[in-house]
Amino acid sequence: MQTILRGINSEVTIDSNGPVIIIGECINPTRRKKLVSTLQEGNFDYVLELVESQIKAGADVLDVNVGYPGVDDVKLLPQTVLAIRKKFDIPLCLDSPNPDAIEAALKVAGGKCLINSVNGEEKSLKSLLKIAKEYEAAIIGLVMDDDGITHDPIKRLSIAEKILDRAVKTGIKEENLIIDPLAMAVSADSRACIVTLETIKLVHQKLGLNITIGASNISFGLPGREDLNSAFVSLAIMNGLTCPIANPEKITAAIRASDLVLGRDDYAVRFVDYFQNRAITS
Ligand code: THG
């Protein structure tokens, strides 16, 4: 299965058999106070710095999240998208819980964006699938619903199936749905990662859809985040993860290594290229 995302003149293909596509997570106010303060001033210079550094580090797509308490993201999300679009042509993943902000951003983004995200709740399905269809966008489906988050991989799979069914009934092609099997902090629940890995395997085998994950979520509250995230992402790739949302400056090495180990990088071209170019810039 192939999901195609586009910038204005650029295109990225996410294939359910890899190689892995990286969605850069860094345009996100979580732990980035400077992002909040600069955006509050209407200054997009720091956002553009984050775009450039993530692309250099290996990002293929960028997640854009400007949510913080009190923000009017119906205004700020499209403004941020426009600022990025003036300088960079890379497919975007629009990350907001507010459907109005998503729609406002889709109106100005052009290309083919990824909506982040719909979930199995009736309210979410009703508002967001219609928007995805109308703007011909792809969409991430989070496997939670009106009953909350389940810790049973089979039940998470059934929510993915429900979202797929509703998406297809809305006229969205199945390749335009990317499933997020939910990654949560392993410090809070020792089984959190294994439940996610099992769900990834089930969704990959039974539905064949592309799969994303907020990879850095798993290491909240722990030291050694980079090592922990890398171990998790490598195992997740083995099970069918194809487009993680992560920090490219910290995860690209593990991703290039995983693709090489899995026989998806002939003559180690991408692996060697990554390390050669990294050596030159550092
Ligand atoms: N699923 C989907 N979208 C999501 C998430 C998800 N969007 C938001 C979030 N979760 C993913 N994005 C982030 C962004 C930053 C961090 C975590 C998740 C973060 N960053 C640290 C920092 O920047 O200092 C550390 C990063 C690191 O050490 O690698 O914590 O689950 N669909």
Side-chain angles (χ1 to χ4, degrees), residues 111-158:
K112 182 179 172 195
C113 294
L114 180 56
I115 296 173
N116 189 6
S117 55
V118 70
N119 61 53
E121 290 174 36
E122 210 40 51
K123 200 174 102 206
S124 174
L125 291 165
K126 278 212 173 95
S127 58
L128 281 154
L129 292 178
K130 213 169 58 196
I131 293 172
K133 167 75 180 152
E134 185 178 340
Y135 291 87
E136 294 177 8
I139 190 160
I140 294 175
L142 289 181
V143 294
M144 53 191 276
D145 65 8
D146 295 292
D147 296 329
I149 295 176
T150 164
H151 298 285
D152 178 350
I154 306 271
K155 287 188 185 149
R156 286 194 187 180
L157 170 68
S158 71

mmCIF file of all heavy atoms in Angstrom, residues 111-158:
data_model
loop_
_atom_site.group_PDB
_atom_site.id
_atom_site.type_symbol
_atom_site.label_atom_id
_atom_site.label_comp_id
_atom_site.label_asym_id
_atom_site.label_seq_id
_atom_site.Cartn_x
_atom_site.Cartn_y
_atom_site.Cartn_z
ATOM 1 N N GLY A 111 -0.802 21.419 -2.171
ATOM 2 C CA GLY A 111 -0.225 20.074 -2.155
ATOM 3 C C GLY A 111 -1.202 19.058 -1.604
ATOM 4 O O GLY A 111 -2.417 19.222 -1.695
ATOM 5 N N LYS A 112 -0.662 18.021 -1.007
ATOM 6 C CA LYS A 112 -1.503 17.012 -0.359
ATOM 7 C C LYS A 112 -0.978 16.768 1.047
ATOM 8 O O LYS A 112 0.081 16.188 1.239
ATOM 9 C CB LYS A 112 -1.493 15.712 -1.162
ATOM 10 C CG LYS A 112 -2.394 14.648 -0.560
ATOM 11 C CD LYS A 112 -2.398 13.377 -1.380
ATOM 12 C CE LYS A 112 -3.151 12.287 -0.640
ATOM 13 N NZ LYS A 112 -2.893 10.962 -1.208
ATOM 14 N N CYS A 113 -1.753 17.280 2.025
ATOM 15 C CA CYS A 113 -1.315 17.224 3.420
ATOM 16 C C CYS A 113 -1.783 15.943 4.093
ATOM 17 O O CYS A 113 -2.650 15.226 3.587
ATOM 18 C CB CYS A 113 -1.899 18.399 4.202
ATOM 19 S SG CYS A 113 -1.277 20.002 3.681
ATOM 20 N N LEU A 114 -1.208 15.723 5.271
ATOM 21 C CA LEU A 114 -1.651 14.652 6.156
ATOM 22 C C LEU A 114 -2.346 15.320 7.349
ATOM 23 O O LEU A 114 -1.761 16.212 7.984
ATOM 24 C CB LEU A 114 -0.423 13.852 6.612
ATOM 25 C CG LEU A 114 -0.623 12.665 7.546
ATOM 26 C CD1 LEU A 114 -1.606 11.650 6.973
ATOM 27 C CD2 LEU A 114 0.718 11.998 7.845
ATOM 28 N N ILE A 115 -3.591 14.926 7.618
ATOM 29 C CA ILE A 115 -4.324 15.480 8.766
ATOM 30 C C ILE A 115 -4.003 14.655 10.011
ATOM 31 O O ILE A 115 -4.121 13.436 10.002
ATOM 32 C CB ILE A 115 -5.854 15.445 8.501
ATOM 33 C CG1 ILE A 115 -6.227 16.349 7.333
ATOM 34 C CG2 ILE A 115 -6.620 15.821 9.767
ATOM 35 C CD1 ILE A 115 -7.691 16.226 6.899
ATOM 36 N N ASN A 116 -3.618 15.311 11.095
ATOM 37 C CA ASN A 116 -3.250 14.643 12.341
ATOM 38 C C ASN A 116 -4.123 15.184 13.456
ATOM 39 O O ASN A 116 -3.795 16.212 14.027
ATOM 40 C CB ASN A 116 -1.765 14.893 12.627
ATOM 41 C CG ASN A 116 -1.234 14.076 13.779
ATOM 42 O OD1 ASN A 116 -1.930 13.228 14.309
ATOM 43 N ND2 ASN A 116 0.002 14.353 14.177
ATOM 44 N N SER A 117 -5.257 14.589 13.787
ATOM 45 C CA SER A 117 -5.673 13.250 13.421
ATOM 46 C C SER A 117 -7.168 13.107 13.665
ATOM 47 O O SER A 117 -7.769 13.920 14.351
ATOM 48 C CB SER A 117 -4.926 12.225 14.295
ATOM 49 O OG SER A 117 -5.140 12.549 15.654
ATOM 50 N N VAL A 118 -7.713 12.004 13.133
ATOM 51 C CA VAL A 118 -9.076 11.599 13.481
ATOM 52 C C VAL A 118 -8.944 10.460 14.486
ATOM 53 O O VAL A 118 -7.886 9.842 14.586
ATOM 54 C CB VAL A 118 -9.830 11.138 12.198
ATOM 55 C CG1 VAL A 118 -9.297 9.817 11.668
ATOM 56 C CG2 VAL A 118 -11.333 11.023 12.441
ATOM 57 N N ASN A 119 -9.994 10.193 15.258
ATOM 58 C CA ASN A 119 -9.985 8.975 16.082
ATOM 59 C C ASN A 119 -11.352 8.311 15.948
ATOM 60 O O ASN A 119 -12.189 8.763 15.171
ATOM 61 C CB ASN A 119 -9.614 9.295 17.536
ATOM 62 C CG ASN A 119 -10.588 10.240 18.186
ATOM 63 O OD1 ASN A 119 -11.795 10.005 18.175
ATOM 64 N ND2 ASN A 119 -10.083 11.330 18.745
ATOM 65 N N GLY A 120 -11.564 7.236 16.700
ATOM 66 C CA GLY A 120 -12.799 6.459 16.538
ATOM 67 C C GLY A 120 -14.016 7.054 17.223
ATOM 68 O O GLY A 120 -15.099 6.459 17.185
ATOM 69 N N GLU A 121 -13.875 8.235 17.835
ATOM 70 C CA GLU A 121 -15.045 8.865 18.454
ATOM 71 C C GLU A 121 -15.972 9.380 17.371
ATOM 72 O O GLU A 121 -15.523 9.951 16.379
ATOM 73 C CB GLU A 121 -14.629 10.064 19.329
ATOM 74 C CG GLU A 121 -13.901 9.682 20.597
ATOM 75 C CD GLU A 121 -13.391 10.927 21.344
ATOM 76 O OE1 GLU A 121 -14.094 11.952 21.328
ATOM 77 O OE2 GLU A 121 -12.292 10.846 21.906
ATOM 78 N N GLU A 122 -17.259 9.217 17.608
ATOM 79 C CA GLU A 122 -18.267 9.597 16.608
ATOM 80 C C GLU A 122 -18.095 11.057 16.158
ATOM 81 O O GLU A 122 -18.120 11.371 14.971
ATOM 82 C CB GLU A 122 -19.654 9.367 17.227
ATOM 83 C CG GLU A 122 -20.751 9.017 16.259
ATOM 84 C CD GLU A 122 -20.348 8.065 15.133
ATOM 85 O OE1 GLU A 122 -19.769 6.992 15.368
ATOM 86 O OE2 GLU A 122 -20.611 8.441 13.966
ATOM 87 N N LYS A 123 -17.887 11.931 17.140
ATOM 88 C CA LYS A 123 -17.756 13.369 16.848
ATOM 89 C C LYS A 123 -16.571 13.633 15.909
ATOM 90 O O LYS A 123 -16.662 14.409 14.957
ATOM 91 C CB LYS A 123 -17.536 14.102 18.183
ATOM 92 C CG LYS A 123 -17.842 15.564 18.160
ATOM 93 C CD LYS A 123 -17.732 16.140 19.572
ATOM 94 C CE LYS A 123 -16.413 16.871 19.703
ATOM 95 N NZ LYS A 123 -15.840 16.996 21.020
ATOM 96 N N SER A 124 -15.475 12.959 16.179
ATOM 97 C CA SER A 124 -14.246 13.136 15.398
ATOM 98 C C SER A 124 -14.436 12.600 13.980
ATOM 99 O O SER A 124 -14.100 13.263 12.981
ATOM 100 C CB SER A 124 -13.100 12.410 16.115
ATOM 101 O OG SER A 124 -11.920 12.429 15.357
ATOM 102 N N LEU A 125 -15.002 11.389 13.872
ATOM 103 C CA LEU A 125 -15.230 10.778 12.550
ATOM 104 C C LEU A 125 -16.110 11.689 11.696
ATOM 105 O O LEU A 125 -15.821 11.943 10.527
ATOM 106 C CB LEU A 125 -15.902 9.405 12.707
ATOM 107 C CG LEU A 125 -15.035 8.291 13.326
ATOM 108 C CD1 LEU A 125 -15.899 7.107 13.755
ATOM 109 C CD2 LEU A 125 -13.952 7.837 12.344
ATOM 110 N N LYS A 126 -17.180 12.196 12.315
ATOM 111 C CA LYS A 126 -18.144 13.016 11.567
ATOM 112 C C LYS A 126 -17.507 14.272 11.008
ATOM 113 O O LYS A 126 -17.739 14.654 9.857
ATOM 114 C CB LYS A 126 -19.320 13.402 12.477
ATOM 115 C CG LYS A 126 -20.350 12.299 12.578
ATOM 116 C CD LYS A 126 -21.770 12.888 12.758
ATOM 117 C CE LYS A 126 -22.818 11.775 12.690
ATOM 118 N NZ LYS A 126 -23.172 11.288 14.044
ATOM 119 N N SER A 127 -16.698 14.951 11.820
ATOM 120 C CA SER A 127 -16.178 16.242 11.352
ATOM 121 C C SER A 127 -14.964 16.071 10.435
ATOM 122 O O SER A 127 -14.860 16.730 9.398
ATOM 123 C CB SER A 127 -15.836 17.141 12.539
ATOM 124 O OG SER A 127 -14.895 16.510 13.361
ATOM 125 N N LEU A 128 -14.042 15.164 10.784
ATOM 126 C CA LEU A 128 -12.749 15.174 10.082
ATOM 127 C C LEU A 128 -12.720 14.376 8.788
ATOM 128 O O LEU A 128 -11.997 14.749 7.850
ATOM 129 C CB LEU A 128 -11.646 14.715 11.031
ATOM 130 C CG LEU A 128 -11.230 15.845 11.969
ATOM 131 C CD1 LEU A 128 -10.656 15.307 13.255
ATOM 132 C CD2 LEU A 128 -10.218 16.778 11.277
ATOM 133 N N LEU A 129 -13.472 13.273 8.705
ATOM 134 C CA LEU A 129 -13.426 12.488 7.458
ATOM 135 C C LEU A 129 -13.970 13.315 6.291
ATOM 136 O O LEU A 129 -13.438 13.287 5.179
ATOM 137 C CB LEU A 129 -14.203 11.170 7.611
ATOM 138 C CG LEU A 129 -13.567 10.171 8.587
ATOM 139 C CD1 LEU A 129 -14.430 8.915 8.720
ATOM 140 C CD2 LEU A 129 -12.148 9.790 8.171
ATOM 141 N N LYS A 130 -15.000 14.093 6.579
ATOM 142 C CA LYS A 130 -15.584 14.969 5.547
ATOM 143 C C LYS A 130 -14.542 15.971 5.043
ATOM 144 O O LYS A 130 -14.408 16.221 3.843
ATOM 145 C CB LYS A 130 -16.777 15.719 6.175
ATOM 146 C CG LYS A 130 -17.903 16.012 5.200
ATOM 147 C CD LYS A 130 -19.148 16.508 5.906
ATOM 148 C CE LYS A 130 -18.863 17.774 6.719
ATOM 149 N NZ LYS A 130 -19.876 18.122 7.708
ATOM 150 N N ILE A 131 -13.792 16.532 5.989
ATOM 151 C CA ILE A 131 -12.757 17.515 5.626
ATOM 152 C C ILE A 131 -11.653 16.841 4.800
ATOM 153 O O ILE A 131 -11.203 17.385 3.781
ATOM 154 C CB ILE A 131 -12.173 18.175 6.907
ATOM 155 C CG1 ILE A 131 -13.239 19.037 7.591
ATOM 156 C CG2 ILE A 131 -10.944 19.014 6.574
ATOM 157 C CD1 ILE A 131 -12.820 19.581 8.953
ATOM 158 N N ALA A 132 -11.245 15.641 5.207
ATOM 159 C CA ALA A 132 -10.184 14.922 4.466
ATOM 160 C C ALA A 132 -10.629 14.663 3.037
ATOM 161 O O ALA A 132 -9.866 14.838 2.081
ATOM 162 C CB ALA A 132 -9.844 13.614 5.172
ATOM 163 N N LYS A 133 -11.880 14.250 2.892
ATOM 164 C CA LYS A 133 -12.416 13.964 1.545
ATOM 165 C C LYS A 133 -12.447 15.248 0.713
ATOM 166 O O LYS A 133 -11.991 15.282 -0.430
ATOM 167 C CB LYS A 133 -13.812 13.353 1.710
ATOM 168 C CG LYS A 133 -14.645 13.282 0.466
ATOM 169 C CD LYS A 133 -14.179 12.174 -0.455
ATOM 170 C CE LYS A 133 -15.042 12.117 -1.706
ATOM 171 N NZ LYS A 133 -14.307 11.593 -2.843
ATOM 172 N N GLU A 134 -12.966 16.305 1.306
ATOM 173 C CA GLU A 134 -13.139 17.556 0.565
ATOM 174 C C GLU A 134 -11.810 18.120 0.069
ATOM 175 O O GLU A 134 -11.705 18.598 -1.051
ATOM 176 C CB GLU A 134 -13.844 18.586 1.455
ATOM 177 C CG GLU A 134 -14.177 19.873 0.718
ATOM 178 C CD GLU A 134 -14.918 20.866 1.603
ATOM 179 O OE1 GLU A 134 -15.507 20.451 2.621
ATOM 180 O OE2 GLU A 134 -14.897 22.073 1.258
ATOM 181 N N TYR A 135 -10.765 18.049 0.907
ATOM 182 C CA TYR A 135 -9.473 18.631 0.530
ATOM 183 C C TYR A 135 -8.508 17.603 -0.054
ATOM 184 O O TYR A 135 -7.339 17.899 -0.279
ATOM 185 C CB TYR A 135 -8.840 19.340 1.746
ATOM 186 C CG TYR A 135 -9.612 20.580 2.123
ATOM 187 C CD1 TYR A 135 -10.695 20.505 2.987
ATOM 188 C CD2 TYR A 135 -9.306 21.821 1.577
ATOM 189 C CE1 TYR A 135 -11.442 21.626 3.327
ATOM 190 C CE2 TYR A 135 -10.031 22.952 1.906
ATOM 191 C CZ TYR A 135 -11.098 22.855 2.778
ATOM 192 O OH TYR A 135 -11.828 23.964 3.106
ATOM 193 N N GLU A 136 -9.016 16.374 -0.276
ATOM 194 C CA GLU A 136 -8.196 15.281 -0.830
ATOM 195 C C GLU A 136 -6.897 15.104 -0.037
ATOM 196 O O GLU A 136 -5.817 14.929 -0.609
ATOM 197 C CB GLU A 136 -7.924 15.508 -2.321
ATOM 198 C CG GLU A 136 -9.209 15.418 -3.123
ATOM 199 C CD GLU A 136 -9.016 15.718 -4.603
ATOM 200 O OE1 GLU A 136 -7.860 15.839 -5.036
ATOM 201 O OE2 GLU A 136 -10.023 15.813 -5.296
ATOM 202 N N ALA A 137 -7.047 15.154 1.276
ATOM 203 C CA ALA A 137 -5.889 14.974 2.156
ATOM 204 C C ALA A 137 -5.823 13.522 2.617
ATOM 205 O O ALA A 137 -6.812 12.790 2.551
ATOM 206 C CB ALA A 137 -6.021 15.898 3.366
ATOM 207 N N ALA A 138 -4.664 13.113 3.087
ATOM 208 C CA ALA A 138 -4.544 11.840 3.807
ATOM 209 C C ALA A 138 -4.819 12.131 5.277
ATOM 210 O O ALA A 138 -4.803 13.291 5.702
ATOM 211 C CB ALA A 138 -3.149 11.256 3.618
ATOM 212 N N ILE A 139 -5.075 11.072 6.055
ATOM 213 C CA ILE A 139 -5.449 11.314 7.446
ATOM 214 C C ILE A 139 -4.910 10.227 8.369
ATOM 215 O O ILE A 139 -4.864 9.053 7.992
ATOM 216 C CB ILE A 139 -6.992 11.470 7.568
ATOM 217 C CG1 ILE A 139 -7.403 11.954 8.954
ATOM 218 C CG2 ILE A 139 -7.728 10.181 7.191
ATOM 219 C CD1 ILE A 139 -8.791 12.588 9.001
ATOM 220 N N ILE A 140 -4.469 10.654 9.557
ATOM 221 C CA ILE A 140 -4.012 9.700 10.576
ATOM 222 C C ILE A 140 -5.210 9.305 11.437
ATOM 223 O O ILE A 140 -5.946 10.168 11.914
ATOM 224 C CB ILE A 140 -2.923 10.329 11.471
ATOM 225 C CG1 ILE A 140 -1.652 10.606 10.651
ATOM 226 C CG2 ILE A 140 -2.598 9.409 12.654
ATOM 227 C CD1 ILE A 140 -0.560 11.348 11.432
ATOM 228 N N GLY A 141 -5.390 8.007 11.644
ATOM 229 C CA GLY A 141 -6.468 7.509 12.507
ATOM 230 C C GLY A 141 -5.905 6.958 13.807
ATOM 231 O O GLY A 141 -5.174 5.969 13.814
ATOM 232 N N LEU A 142 -6.221 7.627 14.932
ATOM 233 C CA LEU A 142 -5.759 7.169 16.257
ATOM 234 C C LEU A 142 -6.720 6.106 16.778
ATOM 235 O O LEU A 142 -7.937 6.306 16.758
ATOM 236 C CB LEU A 142 -5.810 8.329 17.258
ATOM 237 C CG LEU A 142 -4.829 9.483 17.182
ATOM 238 C CD1 LEU A 142 -5.140 10.450 18.323
ATOM 239 C CD2 LEU A 142 -3.403 8.999 17.284
ATOM 240 N N VAL A 143 -6.152 5.013 17.311
ATOM 241 C CA VAL A 143 -7.009 3.905 17.722
ATOM 242 C C VAL A 143 -7.571 4.071 19.147
ATOM 243 O O VAL A 143 -7.330 3.265 20.030
ATOM 244 C CB VAL A 143 -6.283 2.549 17.575
ATOM 245 C CG1 VAL A 143 -6.015 2.254 16.132
ATOM 246 C CG2 VAL A 143 -4.985 2.511 18.365
ATOM 247 N N MET A 144 -8.325 5.152 19.334
ATOM 248 C CA MET A 144 -9.092 5.337 20.570
ATOM 249 C C MET A 144 -10.489 5.783 20.172
ATOM 250 O O MET A 144 -10.684 6.295 19.069
ATOM 251 C CB MET A 144 -8.422 6.378 21.463
ATOM 252 C CG MET A 144 -8.146 7.686 20.767
ATOM 253 S SD MET A 144 -7.102 8.752 21.745
ATOM 254 C CE MET A 144 -8.347 9.490 22.783
ATOM 255 N N ASP A 145 -11.465 5.545 21.042
ATOM 256 C CA ASP A 145 -12.837 5.911 20.667
ATOM 257 C C ASP A 145 -13.621 6.417 21.873
ATOM 258 O O ASP A 145 -13.024 6.811 22.877
ATOM 259 C CB ASP A 145 -13.537 4.745 19.945
ATOM 260 C CG ASP A 145 -13.724 3.536 20.854
ATOM 261 O OD1 ASP A 145 -13.454 3.653 22.076
ATOM 262 O OD2 ASP A 145 -14.145 2.480 20.338
ATOM 263 N N ASP A 146 -14.945 6.410 21.773
ATOM 264 C CA ASP A 146 -15.779 6.967 22.843
ATOM 265 C C ASP A 146 -15.553 6.266 24.190
ATOM 266 O O ASP A 146 -15.840 6.828 25.237
ATOM 267 C CB ASP A 146 -17.260 6.929 22.441
ATOM 268 C CG ASP A 146 -17.544 7.838 21.248
ATOM 269 O OD1 ASP A 146 -17.459 9.073 21.403
ATOM 270 O OD2 ASP A 146 -17.793 7.321 20.142
ATOM 271 N N ASP A 147 -15.035 5.042 24.161
ATOM 272 C CA ASP A 147 -14.729 4.325 25.408
ATOM 273 C C ASP A 147 -13.316 4.619 25.907
ATOM 274 O O ASP A 147 -12.855 3.988 26.856
ATOM 275 C CB ASP A 147 -14.876 2.807 25.203
ATOM 276 C CG ASP A 147 -16.309 2.422 24.886
ATOM 277 O OD1 ASP A 147 -17.225 3.122 25.368
ATOM 278 O OD2 ASP A 147 -16.513 1.450 24.127
ATOM 279 N N GLY A 148 -12.595 5.519 25.241
ATOM 280 C CA GLY A 148 -11.237 5.869 25.691
ATOM 281 C C GLY A 148 -10.179 5.000 25.029
ATOM 282 O O GLY A 148 -10.333 4.574 23.893
ATOM 283 N N ILE A 149 -9.095 4.742 25.794
ATOM 284 C CA ILE A 149 -7.959 3.978 25.263
ATOM 285 C C ILE A 149 -7.980 2.570 25.854
ATOM 286 O O ILE A 149 -7.999 2.407 27.067
ATOM 287 C CB ILE A 149 -6.626 4.676 25.617
ATOM 288 C CG1 ILE A 149 -6.546 6.046 24.899
ATOM 289 C CG2 ILE A 149 -5.442 3.798 25.228
ATOM 290 C CD1 ILE A 149 -5.322 6.863 25.256
ATOM 291 N N THR A 150 -7.965 1.563 24.989
ATOM 292 C CA THR A 150 -7.910 0.178 25.459
ATOM 293 C C THR A 150 -6.462 -0.317 25.458
ATOM 294 O O THR A 150 -5.639 0.160 24.675
ATOM 295 C CB THR A 150 -8.789 -0.740 24.575
ATOM 296 O OG1 THR A 150 -8.415 -2.103 24.820
ATOM 297 C CG2 THR A 150 -8.587 -0.465 23.098
ATOM 298 N N HIS A 151 -6.170 -1.269 26.332
ATOM 299 C CA HIS A 151 -4.822 -1.836 26.379
ATOM 300 C C HIS A 151 -4.776 -3.203 25.710
ATOM 301 O O HIS A 151 -3.806 -3.931 25.840
ATOM 302 C CB HIS A 151 -4.321 -1.877 27.824
ATOM 303 C CG HIS A 151 -4.234 -0.505 28.409
ATOM 304 N ND1 HIS A 151 -3.233 0.379 28.071
ATOM 305 C CD2 HIS A 151 -5.058 0.170 29.235
ATOM 306 C CE1 HIS A 151 -3.435 1.524 28.697
ATOM 307 N NE2 HIS A 151 -4.546 1.430 29.400
ATOM 308 N N ASP A 152 -5.838 -3.541 24.995
ATOM 309 C CA ASP A 152 -5.919 -4.824 24.293
ATOM 310 C C ASP A 152 -5.641 -4.594 22.798
ATOM 311 O O ASP A 152 -6.399 -3.900 22.128
ATOM 312 C CB ASP A 152 -7.335 -5.394 24.514
ATOM 313 C CG ASP A 152 -7.545 -6.698 23.777
ATOM 314 O OD1 ASP A 152 -6.683 -7.080 22.947
ATOM 315 O OD2 ASP A 152 -8.587 -7.337 24.026
ATOM 316 N N PRO A 153 -4.536 -5.184 22.284
ATOM 317 C CA PRO A 153 -4.196 -4.955 20.871
ATOM 318 C C PRO A 153 -5.314 -5.340 19.898
ATOM 319 O O PRO A 153 -5.495 -4.666 18.882
ATOM 320 C CB PRO A 153 -2.962 -5.852 20.663
ATOM 321 C CG PRO A 153 -2.352 -5.999 22.015
ATOM 322 C CD PRO A 153 -3.499 -5.975 22.978
ATOM 323 N N ILE A 154 -6.072 -6.389 20.225
ATOM 324 C CA ILE A 154 -7.163 -6.821 19.334
ATOM 325 C C ILE A 154 -8.234 -5.721 19.269
ATOM 326 O O ILE A 154 -8.792 -5.428 18.215
ATOM 327 C CB ILE A 154 -7.820 -8.133 19.838
ATOM 328 C CG1 ILE A 154 -6.763 -9.214 20.047
ATOM 329 C CG2 ILE A 154 -8.951 -8.580 18.913
ATOM 330 C CD1 ILE A 154 -6.455 -10.084 18.873
ATOM 331 N N LYS A 155 -8.509 -5.125 20.427
ATOM 332 C CA LYS A 155 -9.515 -4.047 20.445
ATOM 333 C C LYS A 155 -8.986 -2.806 19.711
ATOM 334 O O LYS A 155 -9.747 -2.109 19.038
ATOM 335 C CB LYS A 155 -9.904 -3.697 21.879
ATOM 336 C CG LYS A 155 -10.775 -4.773 22.507
ATOM 337 C CD LYS A 155 -11.312 -4.331 23.855
ATOM 338 C CE LYS A 155 -12.091 -5.468 24.518
ATOM 339 N NZ LYS A 155 -12.008 -5.409 25.978
ATOM 340 N N ARG A 156 -7.678 -2.532 19.852
ATOM 341 C CA ARG A 156 -7.108 -1.395 19.103
ATOM 342 C C ARG A 156 -7.243 -1.661 17.601
ATOM 343 O O ARG A 156 -7.576 -0.761 16.829
ATOM 344 C CB ARG A 156 -5.638 -1.167 19.486
ATOM 345 C CG ARG A 156 -5.494 -0.536 20.868
ATOM 346 C CD ARG A 156 -4.093 -0.010 21.109
ATOM 347 N NE ARG A 156 -3.976 0.433 22.506
ATOM 348 C CZ ARG A 156 -2.892 0.937 23.050
ATOM 349 N NH1 ARG A 156 -1.791 1.075 22.328
ATOM 350 N NH2 ARG A 156 -2.876 1.314 24.308
ATOM 351 N N LEU A 157 -6.989 -2.899 17.186
ATOM 352 C CA LEU A 157 -7.158 -3.255 15.764
ATOM 353 C C LEU A 157 -8.606 -3.021 15.320
ATOM 354 O O LEU A 157 -8.845 -2.490 14.241
ATOM 355 C CB LEU A 157 -6.775 -4.732 15.536
ATOM 356 C CG LEU A 157 -7.122 -5.300 14.152
ATOM 357 C CD1 LEU A 157 -6.267 -4.653 13.061
ATOM 358 C CD2 LEU A 157 -6.950 -6.833 14.116
ATOM 359 N N SER A 158 -9.561 -3.400 16.173
ATOM 360 C CA SER A 158 -10.952 -3.254 15.750
ATOM 361 C C SER A 158 -11.339 -1.774 15.614
ATOM 362 O O SER A 158 -12.168 -1.419 14.770
ATOM 363 C CB SER A 158 -11.908 -4.042 16.644
ATOM 364 O OG SER A 158 -11.988 -3.424 17.885
#
